[in-house]
Amino acid sequence: MSRARAGVVAALVGSAVCLPAGCTGTTPARNTGATTSVVSTAAVTGSAAQLEQQYEQVVRTVLPSVVQITTDRGEGSGVVYDDRGHIVTNAHVVAGASTFHVTPASGGKARTGRLVGIFTPDDLAVVRVDGASFRPASFGDSGRLQVGQVVMAMGSPLGLSGSVTNGIVSGTGRTVSSEQQDAFPGATISSAIQTSAAINPGNSGGALVTLSGQVVGVPTLIAATARGQAAQGIGFAIPSNTVKNIAPQLIQSGKVTSSGRAALGVSVTTVIEESSAEPAGVGVVHVAKGSGADKAGIQEGDVIIAINGTHTPTQADLAKILAGMRPGDTVRITLLRNGRKRTVDVRLGELPSA
């Protein structure tokens, strides 16, 4: 979201908004001689006060570890990973960018950063600010999350740095895909966390946090309706366990050598049926030598139409199925070759760094 757009949002927030039930503006009230009533406020006590204090404590603890990332391509968020200035963010926040400026969400001077590494299949990247003294976040175990658990999303939605929203864990173990966005080719995220905490453009790469102050996810996607409009209260985050696997590899070597993600060993494209103009399968355009697909006899020009009996009309469908598999799994591939249907068993390999 550009700075200009963020400014428009801020202006709207500062204006009076009129609704059918009435409007409260900024015009000074006139003394009409009428009797005015005194409105008293109730003190927050008991468990409500404890919950409020817990929210405040989490914000004080975690927000200093959240940053705003501004590039020559746009804006997003990030989470400080260690005390050496490494910051985790989404790959789509930094893809194709050449300049990186990092500003603490809790306030402070912008610092120049550099891209350490990027892994597009999991939509993760690491940026480093040399000599930074940012406070590292504590990354928890996303595998222990429970549906209904209270979480908070921290980041810079619409350019509003240091924003915090709250909600619950609405679901776990989701498989969700994002579309191509400029230099970012899109990704399929497995084991994604679904949350009702409000997530907006600019939240990408920020922190999804439990009330114990543990970062359990990196917000990355917003669900959309059939008309392409953002769906309210349906957002998704990359699980912290994925972050804890990928980020150290990027920090150490700038690439991922052990992704934990299954791969067929082919490059593919969606095939469109001429008569119906509908997706009809996934065409193989390249087979990696020595891969599971190569050993099973899959050839360039084959059209994959199903895996383990589940149809794969598009690349996205194929990616979603593979996201639920693990390297070493054996799958049955149904394909078309010269118009004839065949089935082959493929032992899946591991997705290399991209």
Side-chain angles (χ1 to χ4, degrees), residues 44 206 227 241 267 274 299 331:
V44 180
R227 295 184 179 181
N241 287 356
S267 298
E274 291 185 8
Q299 303 174 6
V331 296

Side-chain angles (χ1 to χ4, degrees), residues 72-84:
D72 52 317
R73 304 294 292 267
E75 294 178 338
S77 303
V79 187
V80 180
Y81 190 77
D82 60 24
D83 58 4
R84 293 183 293 157

